[in-house]
Amino acid sequence: MLSKLRIPIILMALSMTSTVHAVPTLQVGVPGGVGEGAYGDYQGSTFNPVEEDTAITNGNSLFVAGVYKPNTRFLGGQFSGGDNWSDFGYDSSFDTRGAVLLAAVPDGTLSAADASLTINGLGSFFRLPNLGSLFPNRHDPLKDDISDFLFYDIGDFAKNSGAVPNFADETGAADGEIKTLTIAGASGLDWIHFDVLALETRQQGGGRFRTSLANNPGSHDVTWNQGGGGLQQIPEPSVLALFGVGFLGLGFCRRYRLH
């Protein structure tokens, strides 16, 4: 009897573990709109700028989440004298910062954006016309010929029990923190694209720690634009299948009439 009970218990434990691990270490989202949940859907693709799998908004609120995995000791900036931002190739001005919100703005608008755009009332602490290799996942529009780049200090992430779901499907309950950020001064820009970076320090064997650079996946970012639009909907597979059946039916009808 005991052996029969073990299998469902083990499967349940594995299911719970996979759900928690499905929550990305870092993610950026927005409040959900009509017909959505608590978080806006990552959907379709945009043409202003070109980007796929992004949450689109013209509002002034962002959610930025950081997750503590089972062996994560600290998430944000430097931990207890360990590796700092400059150890990963960043300017020394990063070394006093926590997690960093990266705002990509249209190429050629760096000075104007830096003068107006604030996050939680604070301006950027660093800016660059070329990102180079400072963001590991160089998805559109994080390209030097498309964007200029501003960096904002958003502080370290706290470890709150079960506080963070996966914004994409709103499942899971990982330990960490969701920060609510307010965008201001964006109205003079055509668009802004938001990603997030942090230093993640994990516990190793023998009381040692290892720090690595973490960033959100390209499927968990946010694009702000003036109309909250620029959205090109990508049909669901079922819709595409219906179109295919329809065209196939037209083909049969045509062949039937010709014969």
Side-chain angles (χ1 to χ4, degrees), residues 130-174:
N130 298 309
L131 189 61
S133 60
L134 295 184
F135 193 86
N137 180 2
R138 295 296 300 277
H139 57 273
D140 286 339
L142 301 187
K143 305 290 177 64
D144 293 341
D145 59 342
I146 297 174
S147 302
D148 293 331
F149 306 94
L150 300 168
F151 299 82
Y152 296 82
D153 182 4
I154 59 172
D156 302 319
F157 289 100
K159 185 178 181 180
N160 302 314
S161 179
V164 184
N166 187 326
F167 290 170
D169 57 15
E170 305 196 20
T171 63

Coordinates of all heavy atoms in Angstrom, one line a residue, residues 130-174:
N130 N 25.6 52.9 -27.7 CA 25.8 51.5 -28.2 C 25.9 50.6 -27.0 O 26.7 50.8 -26.1 CB 27.2 51.5 -29.0 CG 27.1 52.3 -30.2 OD1 26.2 52.3 -31.0 ND2 28.1 53.2 -30.4
L131 N 25.1 49.5 -27.0 CA 25.0 48.6 -25.9 C 26.2 47.6 -25.9 O 26.6 47.1 -24.9 CB 23.7 47.8 -26.0 CG 23.3 47.0 -24.8 CD1 23.2 47.8 -23.5 CD2 22.0 46.3 -25.1
G132 N 26.7 47.3 -27.1 CA 27.8 46.3 -27.2 C 27.3 45.0 -26.6 O 26.3 44.4 -26.9
S133 N 28.1 44.4 -25.7 CA 27.8 43.1 -25.1 C 27.2 43.2 -23.7 O 27.2 42.2 -23.0 CB 29.1 42.2 -25.1 OG 30.1 42.8 -24.3
L134 N 26.7 44.4 -23.3 CA 26.3 44.6 -22.0 C 24.9 44.0 -21.6 O 24.5 44.0 -20.5 CB 26.3 46.1 -21.6 CG 27.7 46.7 -21.7 CD1 27.6 48.2 -21.2 CD2 28.7 46.0 -20.7
F135 N 24.2 43.5 -22.6 CA 23.0 42.7 -22.4 C 23.1 41.4 -23.1 O 23.2 41.4 -24.3 CB 21.7 43.4 -22.8 CG 20.5 42.8 -22.3 CD1 20.0 43.2 -21.0 CD2 19.8 41.9 -23.0 CE1 18.8 42.6 -20.5 CE2 18.6 41.4 -22.5 CZ 18.1 41.7 -21.3
P136 N 23.2 40.3 -22.4 CA 23.5 39.0 -23.0 C 22.5 38.6 -24.1 O 22.9 38.0 -25.1 CB 23.5 38.0 -21.9 CG 23.7 38.8 -20.7 CD 23.1 40.1 -20.9
N137 N 21.3 38.9 -23.9 CA 20.2 38.4 -24.9 C 19.9 39.6 -25.8 O 19.0 40.4 -25.5 CB 19.0 38.0 -24.1 CG 17.9 37.5 -25.0 OD1 18.0 37.5 -26.3 ND2 16.7 37.2 -24.5
R138 N 20.6 39.7 -27.0 CA 20.5 40.8 -27.9 C 19.3 40.7 -28.8 O 19.4 40.7 -30.0 CB 21.8 41.0 -28.6 CG 23.0 41.4 -27.8 CD 22.8 42.7 -27.1 NE 22.6 43.8 -28.0 CZ 23.7 44.4 -28.6 NH1 24.9 44.0 -28.4 NH2 23.5 45.4 -29.5
H139 N 18.1 40.5 -28.3 CA 16.9 40.4 -29.1 C 16.5 41.9 -29.6 O 16.9 42.9 -29.0 CB 15.7 39.8 -28.3 CG 15.4 40.6 -27.1 ND1 16.0 40.3 -25.9 CD2 14.5 41.6 -26.8 CE1 15.5 41.1 -24.9 NE2 14.6 41.9 -25.5
D140 N 15.7 41.9 -30.7 CA 15.2 43.2 -31.1 C 14.4 43.8 -30.0 O 13.6 43.1 -29.3 CB 14.4 43.1 -32.4 CG 15.2 42.8 -33.6 OD1 16.4 43.1 -33.6 OD2 14.6 42.2 -34.6
P141 N 14.5 45.2 -29.8 CA 15.2 46.2 -30.5 C 16.6 46.5 -29.8 O 17.1 47.6 -29.9 CB 14.3 47.4 -30.5 CG 13.7 47.3 -29.1 CD 13.5 45.8 -28.8
L142 N 17.2 45.6 -29.1 CA 18.5 45.8 -28.4 C 19.6 45.7 -29.4 O 20.5 44.9 -29.2 CB 18.6 44.9 -27.2 CG 17.6 44.9 -26.2 CD1 18.0 44.0 -25.0 CD2 17.3 46.3 -25.7
K143 N 19.6 46.6 -30.4 CA 20.6 46.6 -31.4 C 21.1 48.1 -31.6 O 20.3 49.0 -31.5 CB 20.0 46.1 -32.8 CG 19.4 44.8 -32.8 CD 20.4 43.7 -32.6 CE 19.8 42.3 -32.5 NZ 19.1 41.9 -33.7
D144 N 22.4 48.2 -31.8 CA 23.0 49.5 -31.7 C 22.5 50.5 -32.8 O 22.5 51.7 -32.7 CB 24.5 49.4 -31.8 CG 25.1 48.8 -30.5 OD1 24.4 48.8 -29.5 OD2 26.2 48.3 -30.6
D145 N 22.1 49.9 -34.0 CA 21.6 50.7 -35.1 C 20.1 51.0 -35.0 O 19.5 51.7 -35.8 CB 21.9 50.0 -36.4 CG 21.2 48.7 -36.6 OD1 20.9 48.1 -35.5 OD2 21.1 48.2 -37.7
I146 N 19.4 50.5 -33.9 CA 18.0 50.7 -33.7 C 17.7 51.6 -32.5 O 16.8 52.4 -32.5 CB 17.3 49.3 -33.5 CG1 17.4 48.5 -34.8 CG2 15.8 49.5 -33.2 CD1 16.8 47.1 -34.6
S147 N 18.6 51.4 -31.5 CA 18.3 52.0 -30.1 C 19.5 52.7 -29.5 O 20.6 52.4 -29.8 CB 17.8 50.9 -29.2 OG 16.7 50.2 -29.7
D148 N 19.2 53.6 -28.6 CA 20.1 54.1 -27.6 C 19.6 53.6 -26.2 O 18.5 53.1 -26.1 CB 20.1 55.7 -27.6 CG 20.6 56.3 -28.8 OD1 21.5 55.6 -29.5 OD2 20.2 57.4 -29.2
F149 N 20.5 53.7 -25.2 CA 20.2 52.9 -24.0 C 20.4 53.7 -22.7 O 21.4 54.4 -22.5 CB 21.1 51.7 -24.0 CG 21.0 50.9 -25.2 CD1 21.9 51.1 -26.3 CD2 20.0 49.9 -25.4 CE1 21.7 50.3 -27.5 CE2 19.8 49.2 -26.5 CZ 20.7 49.4 -27.6
L150 N 19.4 53.6 -21.8 CA 19.5 54.3 -20.5 C 19.4 53.2 -19.4 O 18.6 52.2 -19.6 CB 18.3 55.2 -20.4 CG 18.2 56.4 -21.4 CD1 16.9 57.1 -21.3 CD2 19.4 57.4 -21.2
F151 N 20.1 53.4 -18.3 CA 20.1 52.5 -17.2 C 19.6 53.1 -15.9 O 20.0 54.2 -15.6 CB 21.5 52.0 -17.0 CG 22.1 51.3 -18.2 CD1 22.7 52.0 -19.2 CD2 22.1 49.9 -18.3 CE1 23.2 51.4 -20.3 CE2 22.7 49.2 -19.4 CZ 23.2 50.0 -20.4
Y152 N 18.7 52.4 -15.2 CA 18.0 52.9 -14.0 C 18.2 51.9 -12.9 O 18.0 50.7 -13.0 CB 16.5 53.1 -14.3 CG 16.2 54.2 -15.3 CD1 16.2 53.9 -16.6 CD2 15.9 55.5 -14.9 CE1 16.0 54.8 -17.6 CE2 15.6 56.5 -15.9 CZ 15.7 56.1 -17.2 OH 15.4 57.1 -18.2
D153 N 18.6 52.5 -11.7 CA 18.8 51.6 -10.5 C 17.4 51.4 -9.9 O 16.7 52.3 -9.5 CB 19.7 52.4 -9.6 CG 20.0 51.6 -8.3 OD1 19.6 50.4 -8.2 OD2 20.7 52.2 -7.4
I154 N 17.1 50.1 -9.8 CA 15.8 49.8 -9.1 C 15.9 49.0 -7.8 O 15.0 48.5 -7.3 CB 14.8 49.0 -10.1 CG1 15.5 47.7 -10.5 CG2 14.5 49.9 -11.3 CD1 14.5 46.8 -11.3
G155 N 17.2 48.9 -7.3 CA 17.4 48.4 -6.0 C 17.4 46.8 -6.0 O 17.2 46.2 -7.1
D156 N 17.7 46.3 -4.9 CA 17.8 44.8 -4.7 C 16.4 44.2 -4.6 O 15.5 44.9 -4.2 CB 18.7 44.5 -3.5 CG 20.1 45.0 -3.6 OD1 20.7 45.0 -4.7 OD2 20.6 45.5 -2.5
F157 N 16.3 42.9 -4.9 CA 15.1 42.2 -4.7 C 15.0 41.5 -3.3 O 16.0 40.9 -2.9 CB 14.9 41.1 -5.8 CG 14.6 41.7 -7.1 CD1 15.6 41.8 -8.1 CD2 13.4 42.2 -7.5 CE1 15.4 42.4 -9.3 CE2 13.1 42.7 -8.8 CZ 14.1 42.8 -9.7
A158 N 13.9 41.7 -2.7 CA 13.6 41.0 -1.4 C 13.2 39.6 -1.7 O 12.8 39.2 -2.8 CB 12.6 41.7 -0.6
K159 N 13.3 38.7 -0.6 CA 12.9 37.3 -0.7 C 11.6 37.2 0.1 O 11.6 37.0 1.3 CB 13.9 36.4 -0.2 CG 13.6 34.9 -0.4 CD 14.7 34.0 0.1 CE 14.4 32.5 -0.2 NZ 15.4 31.6 0.3
N160 N 10.4 37.3 -0.7 CA 9.1 37.1 0.0 C 8.6 35.8 -0.5 O 8.5 35.4 -1.7 CB 8.2 38.2 -0.5 CG 8.8 39.6 -0.1 OD1 9.2 39.8 1.0 ND2 8.7 40.6 -1.0
S161 N 8.1 35.0 0.5 CA 7.6 33.6 0.2 C 6.5 33.6 -0.8 O 5.4 34.2 -0.5 CB 7.2 33.0 1.5 OG 6.8 31.6 1.3
G162 N 6.6 32.9 -1.9 CA 5.5 32.6 -2.8 C 5.0 33.8 -3.5 O 3.8 33.8 -3.9
A163 N 5.8 34.9 -3.6 CA 5.2 36.2 -4.1 C 5.2 36.4 -5.6 O 4.5 37.3 -6.1 CB 6.1 37.3 -3.5
V164 N 5.9 35.5 -6.4 CA 6.1 35.8 -7.8 C 5.5 34.7 -8.7 O 6.1 33.6 -8.6 CB 7.6 36.1 -8.1 CG1 7.7 36.5 -9.6 CG2 8.2 37.1 -7.2
P165 N 4.5 35.0 -9.5 CA 4.1 34.0 -10.5 C 4.9 34.3 -11.8 O 5.6 35.3 -12.0 CB 2.6 34.3 -10.7 CG 2.6 35.8 -10.6 CD 3.7 36.2 -9.5
N166 N 4.7 33.4 -12.8 CA 5.2 33.6 -14.1 C 4.2 34.6 -14.8 O 3.0 34.3 -14.9 CB 5.2 32.3 -14.9 CG 5.8 32.4 -16.3 OD1 5.7 33.5 -16.9 ND2 6.5 31.4 -16.7
F167 N 4.6 35.8 -15.2 CA 3.7 36.8 -15.7 C 3.0 36.3 -17.0 O 1.9 36.7 -17.3 CB 4.5 38.0 -16.1 CG 4.9 38.8 -14.9 CD1 5.8 39.9 -15.0 CD2 4.5 38.5 -13.6 CE1 6.2 40.7 -14.0 CE2 4.9 39.3 -12.5 CZ 5.8 40.4 -12.7
A168 N 3.6 35.3 -17.7 CA 3.1 34.9 -19.0 C 1.8 34.1 -18.8 O 0.8 34.3 -19.6 CB 4.1 34.1 -19.8
D169 N 1.8 33.1 -17.9 CA 0.6 32.3 -17.8 C 0.0 32.4 -16.4 O -1.0 31.8 -16.0 CB 0.9 30.9 -18.1 CG 2.0 30.3 -17.2 OD1 2.4 30.9 -16.2 OD2 2.5 29.2 -17.6
E170 N 0.6 33.3 -15.5 CA 0.1 33.6 -14.2 C 0.0 32.3 -13.3 O -0.9 32.2 -12.5 CB -1.2 34.4 -14.2 CG -1.1 35.6 -15.1 CD -2.2 36.6 -14.9 OE1 -2.9 36.6 -13.9 OE2 -2.4 37.5 -15.8
T171 N 0.9 31.4 -13.5 CA 1.0 30.2 -12.7 C 2.3 30.3 -11.9 O 3.2 31.0 -12.2 CB 1.0 28.9 -13.5 OG1 2.1 28.9 -14.3 CG2 -0.3 28.8 -14.3
G172 N 2.4 29.4 -10.8 CA 3.6 29.4 -10.0 C 3.5 30.4 -8.9 O 2.7 31.3 -8.9
A173 N 4.4 30.2 -7.9 CA 4.4 31.0 -6.7 C 5.9 30.9 -6.2 O 6.1 30.3 -5.1 CB 3.4 30.6 -5.7
A174 N 6.8 31.6 -6.8 CA 8.2 31.5 -6.4 C 8.5 32.6 -5.4 O 7.9 33.6 -5.3 CB 9.1 31.7 -7.7

